[in-house]
Amino acid sequence: MAISIKTPQEIESMKKSGQILAKVFEVVEKQFKPGISAKEIDDLIHQEIIAHHATPSFLGYQGYKYSSCISKNEEVVHGIPYPDKRFMPGDIGSIDIGVYFEGFHSDAARTFWIDPIPKEVEKLIQITEESFYKAIEQAIPGNTIGDMAFALQTHAETHGFSVVRDLCSHGIGKKLHEDPLIPNYGTKGKGIKLKEGMTFAIEPMINMGTYHVLTLSDKWTIITADQKLSAHYENTICITKDGAEILTSIC
Ligand code: MF3
Ligand code: CO
């Protein structure tokens, strides 16, 4: 499938979608307190999205029954918001949300934690976020997907962490997942060239131990093969002539 180039007007709709998502995260962050369950968080996310006259992108996607993915500790991504998945001191949780508005999706994830957490875990979360920024520093027209991937991978590995390989960043727009598939590891100069008007969801999934992952019997939850912790950070971005613009953070 070809990579879709969005018109300025389409980008405006994606921005609106992304701004709703950013506002949902502001509410979630305030409520992420000891004892809260993943189901309670998902209910909150659902209500907030609907309140903005938008639709949760994940609900109904390939039979998925929830408005978010909530992945705790060794869960990498696609964690189901079960009612007995509760966050207590020392736990970390990645919350992944998609919003559909004016015909366009936006997709973002953040990793939250309940204090206290060890320094090394704090570092994992920080490096995961930073590796996203390293990638988008390279997101300029004429650079390639490999340039972004290389920068992301180098940052994570230099700090002693590993990059999940079985799941990728991706194009996004009228569909939640569009071409191209963007590995979070790679080689400078390889892969397709970036062009103005392309929109991507860049989502590093970074592990403390091995990059190998497994899928649980619920067919959704992905966990680390060694059950060490994993963090996730994601934003929807647009390639402009001057570089990447983030569509899913408050501006
Ligand atoms: N943000 C996730 C991704 O890009 C989407 C979750 S899949 C769903 O992989 F089924 F939950 F929607
Ligand atoms: Co995504």
Side-chain angles (χ1 to χ4, degrees):
M1 201 188 86
I3 298 169
S4 64
I5 301 290
K6 279 76 178 181
T7 65
Q9 198 184 341
E10 289 175 327
I11 302 283
E12 279 312 306
S13 294
M14 289 192 67
K15 264 185 206 168
K16 288 188 211 165
S17 175
Q19 289 307 294
I20 293 169
L21 209 170
K23 285 189 191 131
V24 174
F25 263 126
E26 282 194 328
V27 174
V28 170
E29 188 169 10
K30 288 199 194 91
Q31 297 305 318
F32 196 81
K33 291 182 190 151
I36 194 162
S37 74
K39 173 74 165 70
E40 287 161 351
I41 299 167
D42 185 70
D43 286 344
L44 181 66
I45 290 166
H46 184 87
Q47 283 166 19
E48 285 297 317
I49 294 173
I50 299 294
H52 284 94
H53 309 287
T55 309
S57 301
F58 299 175
L59 187 62
Y61 182 86
Q62 292 182 1
Y64 193 70
K65 294 195 181 70
Y66 309 90
S67 298
S68 63
C69 297
I70 302 187
S71 309
K72 180 176 154 179
N73 296 339
E74 74 280 3
E75 296 171 1
V76 179
V77 285
H78 303 171
I80 294 180
Y82 296 118
D84 59 350
K85 191 185 286 185
R86 286 192 186 274
F87 290 92
M88 304 308 284
D91 287 333
I92 69 170
S94 108
I95 302 185
D96 190 348
I97 307 174
V99 166
Y100 186 69
F101 189 74
E102 288 185 356
F104 288 88
H105 294 279
S106 56
D107 186 1
R110 302 282 182 265
T111 298
F112 298 106
W113 65 93
I114 309 276
D115 281 326
I117 54 168
K119 272 268 166 299
E120 187 65 9
V121 179
E122 226 172 82
K123 186 178 148 198
L124 172 74
I125 296 168
Q126 187 189 334
I127 297 296
T128 303
E129 178 171 344
E130 285 174 10
S131 69
F132 162 84
Y133 283 98
K134 292 286 177 188
I136 68 159
E137 274 172 23
Q138 299 299 321
I140 38 182
N143 270 6
T144 68
I145 278 179
D147 293 324
M148 289 198 289
F150 177 80
L152 192 161
Q153 179 184 14
T154 302
H155 191 66
E157 291 183 354
T158 301
H159 288 87
F161 301 126
S162 69
V163 178
V164 173
R165 297 176 181 221
D166 290 358
L167 296 133
C168 289
S169 297
H170 53 92
I172 181 168
K174 287 181 181 161
K175 291 198 294 171
L176 179 61
H177 293 123
E178 295 187 352
D179 281 345
L181 210 57
I182 307 172
N184 294 311
Y185 64 98
T187 309
K188 267 187 202 173
K190 288 267 167 79
I192 61 122
K193 271 205 174 124
L194 306 178
K195 292 200 182 96
E196 198 179 336
M198 288 180 177
T199 48
F200 303 139
I202 303 294
E203 49 176 320
M205 291 148 265
I206 307 295
N207 296 353
M208 287 267 242
T210 178
Y211 61 73
H212 290 287
V213 297
L214 305 168
T215 307
L216 294 187
S217 56
D218 64 17
K219 301 256 178 54
W220 283 101
T221 314
I222 312 266
I223 62 161
T224 56
D226 58 10
Q227 298 193 33
K228 292 188 179 172
L229 297 189
S230 182
H232 184 204
Y233 187 86
E234 176 179 28
N235 278 308
T236 298
I237 66 159
C238 162
I239 309 290
T240 76
K241 65 179 188 338
D242 306 314
E245 187 180 349
I246 298 174
L247 308 181
T248 43
S249 54
I250 296 285
C251 51

